[in-house]
Each structure stands twice: as structure tokens, then as C-alpha cells.
Amino acid sequence: MSAEGKMTASGKSEQVKAYLETNVVPVLTQALTQMCLQEPDDPFSWLAQWLVENHPTRPQKAEWSEVLVLKLTVGNFFGEIALLSGKPRQATVKAVGATTCLVIDRDAFQRLCGNLFEILRRNMSTYSTMELPPEEEKPAVEEAKAEAEEEEEE
């Protein structure tokens, strides 16, 4: 790489650093300070919600909401989109009762499920056609939590 190319890369690096120090670090510092004071049970969701509600460049219509998209049962799986495509996760999965999860990385997934790989890839197209429940169905998340609590009590 020429000296001119190095200067450009170095200059971009300095620009990125300045942007982060000016725009990102102050917002995250404020958020993390609040999170430490409140000590939420689910810090990841709390931080995401705080950033949506308090970010200075927040769009006027942005608002945090939890929506129950799918209720999984014994033997179901999730996370295959990330394993198949390398994309970041597309949803947050919450357990409402005692749960055992198998965590598997992409290489192990491909070794163990090689023959299923194409079937799962074909199934990914169904996710894009999945419709979210209407706004009035939001209490379904609370209903699922209540059901799990009742099952635990029995």
C-alpha cells in the first residue's frame, strides 16, 4: 500500500474515532449509568429499550414494544437464520419457564445437520411471509408468562 493509501486509511480511522467519541460514547455512558442505577433483570432488553426511547436522533415514531410472534414448545428450535446466513439474530427469545437449550456454533451445525441444511434454508422464506399479530394482541406475551407460572406452581 502506498503512503498516500495509508494516510487515507489513517484519516478515516481518526474520523471514525472522533465520531464515536462525540456521538456514541456520551449516549452509551448515560444509558449504562442509568442501567447500573436501576439494575434491571434483563439488561439487554432494558438497554435496547432505553436507546430507542432516549437516543437524541430518535425518529418521532420510534417506540419500544414486545410482540409475541411465535410460541415454541418442546423440540422446537430457533436461531437457524443466523446459522444459515451469517446474519445477526432477528428476534429475542425469552423462556417463561424451566428451559434447556442446546447452543451450537455454525461449524458444528453444518457437521451435524448437513443434510437438513437445504431444507432449513428453504424454510427461511416462510419467515418473510409471517405476519406480526395486530397491536391488540400484545397481552399474549403476558398470557404466556402467566401460563408458565401456573405450570411451575403445579
Side-chain angles (χ1 to χ4, degrees):
M1 187 184 285
S2 69
E4 187 177 296
K6 287 181 183 178
M7 281 181 46
T8 304
S10 176
K12 285 183 181 180
S13 176
E14 291 300 318
Q15 286 178 332
V16 169
K17 183 178 177 182
Y19 173 82
L20 291 173
E21 288 175 350
T22 304
N23 299 302
V24 178
V25 171
V27 172
L28 283 177
T29 301
Q30 186 179 4
L32 294 173
T33 301
Q34 288 298 313
M35 188 170 66
C36 288
L37 293 171
Q38 293 185 23
E39 297 181 359
D41 291 332
D42 183 357
F44 296 105
S45 293
W46 185 95
L47 181 59
Q49 182 176 355
W50 190 96
L51 289 171
V52 166
E53 293 174 351
N54 297 286
H55 196 279
T57 61
R58 167 189 151 179
Q60 294 299 319
K61 294 183 179 180
E63 123 182 3
W64 177 264
S65 66
E66 287 187 4
V67 176
L68 179 63
V69 175
L70 186 63
K71 188 173 181 180
L72 302 175
T73 60
V74 173
N76 290 143
F77 56 89
F78 58 91
E80 70 279 10
I81 292 173
L83 289 170
L84 293 169
S85 67
K87 292 181 180 178
R89 66 188 175 94
Q90 302 292 309
T92 297
V93 178
K94 291 185 177 181
V96 292
T99 304
T100 302
C101 287
L102 168 67
V103 178
I104 188 168
D105 66 17
R106 186 174 289 109
D107 291 337
F109 175 76
Q110 289 176 346
R111 281 194 311 273
L112 294 170
C113 304
N115 295 337
L116 299 173
F117 196 83
E118 285 307 313
I119 295 169
L120 292 170
R121 187 178 299 281
R122 277 183 271 148
N123 288 346
M124 279 180 31
S125 65
T126 62
Y127 300 133
S128 63
T129 60
M130 187 180 289
E131 291 184 27
L132 293 176
E135 288 296 315
E136 63 268 8
E137 290 188 26
K138 283 184 183 178
V141 173
E142 297 304 319
E143 289 173 18
K145 288 179 183 176
E147 286 176 18
E149 288 172 2
E150 287 175 10
E151 289 174 7
E152 285 180 8
E153 289 174 3
E154 294 173 358

